[in-house]
Amino acid sequence: MAEAVSAFELLGGEVAVRGLVDRFYDLMELEPRFAPLRGLHPTSLDGSRDKLFWFLCGWLGGPAHYERRFGHPRLRARHLPFAIGVRERDDWLVCMALAMEQQGLDEAVRERLLAAFFNTADWMRNLDENRSDAL
Ligand code: HEM
């Protein structure tokens, strides 16, 4: 019987996830269109790179590095200090979509992941943009 394969394994494990995260933050740092998104982050992206890498390993079905270090992710609460609306959500998603493409991820995997990233990123919105359940 075939065993269920996690997205973590489909991608290629920790090396591939680290590569994706590094590409994501390289793009955020280098592409002028992502300057507003970059501006929300600390001067050094080193900590952000590590945290997103640890988080994504678990989120994709691999080892729970983030939880082991920090406990429950409480992602929405941790994003409350940053003003996140539709623009910020979409910038984040475009940056991630480009990173996945440039890392050569299979198209079906990219589509599946982008849909999952959309749900997480949309849930992080905290600006009142005519959404009744926003803060
Ligand atoms: C919706 C647009 C988003 C914006 C504007 C945004 C922005 C930020 C910023 C500014 C930080 C702080 C960086 C730092 O402390 O070094 C951060 C942290 C983080 N973000 Fe996001 N983010 C977004 C979406 C997401 C999504 C979709 C995920 C996961 C799939 C994610 C995962 C994380 C994680 C794991 C951290 C570290 C939390 C911590 O331990 O402090 N973010 N994000």
Side-chain angles (χ1 to χ4, degrees):
M1 201 170 74
E3 285 179 35
V5 177
S6 67
F8 178 78
E9 287 167 89
L10 265 182
L11 244 70
E14 291 195 356
V15 172
V17 176
R18 184 73 216 196
L20 177 63
V21 166
D22 281 335
R23 177 75 70 167
F24 172 78
Y25 280 115
D26 286 349
L27 283 166
M28 197 191 288
E29 196 133 53
L30 296 170
E31 289 287 331
R33 67 193 286 196
F34 299 127
L37 181 60
R38 172 68 184 91
L40 294 174
H41 289 72
T43 312
S44 164
L45 289 175
D46 292 352
S48 316
R49 286 175 194 264
D50 284 345
K51 286 176 179 171
L52 188 59
F53 165 63
W54 290 326
F55 174 80
L56 286 185
C57 283
W59 188 79
L60 292 163
H65 295 309
Y66 185 93
E67 282 87 339
R68 213 167 286 139
R69 287 175 171 82
F70 306 112
H72 192 282
R74 298 185 303 111
L75 267 201
R76 192 167 194 284
R78 288 194 210 264
H79 284 77
L80 286 179
F82 317 109
I84 301 180
V86 169
R87 161 92 198 258
E88 291 74 19
R89 176 198 70 188
D90 289 349
D91 285 352
W92 196 102
L93 290 168
V94 170
C95 192
M96 183 54 79
L98 276 176
M100 290 196 288
E101 196 181 336
Q102 292 185 7
Q103 288 303 99
L105 267 64
D106 182 79
E107 195 178 346
V109 174
R110 280 192 269 137
E111 278 174 17
R112 182 179 140 193
L113 286 180
L114 199 59
F117 278 130
F118 177 88
N119 288 334
T120 305
D122 193 53
W123 170 64
M124 232 80 90
R125 286 198 290 133
N126 52 34
L127 286 184
D128 185 359
E129 294 173 311
N130 300 319
R131 203 182 70 158
S132 56
D133 59 331
L135 273 188

